[in-house]
Amino acid sequence: MLKNKLPLFGLALLLSAAPSSWQPVYGRARALAAPRVNTLDGKARTRLNAALRELRKRGLRPRVNSTFRSQADQRAIYRCARSRRCRNRRGIYGANPPGSSLHEAGLAVDLGGIAAGRRKRRLTPKGRQTVRVMERHGFNWRYGLKDPAHFEISPQHAGYRSTQAAINAGQQRWRKAQQGKRGAPKTTQRKRQK
């Protein structure tokens, strides 16, 4: 259970779940860091920041539950989404198979607090406003109440030829970011003794 209000971009990676039912889904105690806003596609990041500014001006503070996902993260979420027990416990609405989600391209974001109700989902008043603002900023509410947290930008609007090209670019961006964090590998030379 999350007890503290976390800063918008300092949230631990949450799935599309209510705060009271949050638990890491990645097994082996591998919880991820903050939603990877910096790894979003540049156009998506700019549009998301503009939408969040507008929402804050309206007095709304939606939770950013998930942004970019590596293929390993997508695989874990997909596996969980296919298990009724895991899906219900974690509050996941659904997940695309690895290699087909716009989260892997950095063109999708999941926001919490959009809908209420388990069996009969309905938009909350704040959710209705959030959907309008996100759509105004170029995010498509593609799955509606089937996956109310999910918003995405079309790969073509972001300048990619296809979804697969966008995913490849997103994963490449992620690998470069990870290599930059690790730094250059250290080389050690042993001195030969004669």
Side-chain angles (χ1 to χ4, degrees):
M1 181 170 168
L2 291 175
K3 294 182 181 179
N4 300 330
K5 289 186 179 180
L6 299 170
L8 189 60
F9 293 116
L11 294 169
L13 175 66
L14 302 176
L15 298 176
S16 302
S20 61
S21 65
W22 177 84
Q23 291 179 10
V25 82
Y26 300 101
R28 295 187 202 147
R30 186 178 155 224
L32 297 176
R36 299 171 177 146
V37 175
N38 291 333
T39 317
L40 282 173
D41 177 81
K43 291 179 181 175
R45 185 174 51 244
T46 301
R47 290 177 184 208
L48 176 62
N49 287 333
L52 292 175
R53 274 192 304 274
E54 184 176 337
L55 288 167
R56 280 192 297 272
K57 285 180 184 176
R58 293 171 178 250
L60 302 173
R61 292 196 166 279
R63 291 183 318 270
V64 178
N65 292 340
S66 181
T67 57
F68 174 83
R69 297 180 192 148
S70 68
Q71 286 184 338
D73 297 334
Q74 187 66 30
R75 192 176 306 111
I77 291 172
Y78 178 68
R79 211 175 300 129
C80 182
R82 294 187 61 181
S83 160
R84 176 186 282 170
R85 182 177 179 200
C86 184
R87 184 178 58 240
N88 289 339
R89 195 173 69 224
R90 305 291 200 260
I92 297 174
Y93 294 106
N96 288 342
S100 64
S101 171
L102 286 179
H103 282 284
E104 295 171 275
L107 294 174
V109 61
D110 288 349
L111 301 176
I114 304 297
R118 282 199 169 248
R119 294 191 188 265
K120 278 193 158 186
R121 289 188 200 120
R122 58 181 163 59
L123 279 174
T124 63
K126 291 180 180 181
R128 199 170 287 115
Q129 287 182 34
T130 302
V131 169
R132 281 194 296 260
V133 169
M134 292 295 285
E135 286 179 337
R136 190 170 27 259
H137 287 277
F139 285 90
N140 182 12
W141 194 46
R142 182 175 178 183
Y143 301 109
L145 288 173
K146 286 185 179 180
D147 188 356
H150 185 84
F151 295 89
E152 65 187 31
I153 293 176
S154 160
Q156 289 75 23
H157 290 314
Y160 298 100
R161 277 188 247 166
S162 65
T163 299
Q164 196 57 53
I167 290 171
N168 291 343
Q171 294 301 303
Q172 187 173 22
R173 224 178 12 259
W174 170 248
R175 284 190 294 275
K176 282 183 182 180
Q178 292 306 299
Q179 287 173 353
K181 284 182 181 178
R182 288 186 213 125
K186 294 180 181 178
T187 57
T188 34
Q189 296 179 359
R190 290 185 178 180
K191 294 182 181 179
R192 281 189 167 174
Q193 294 182 0
K194 292 185 180 180

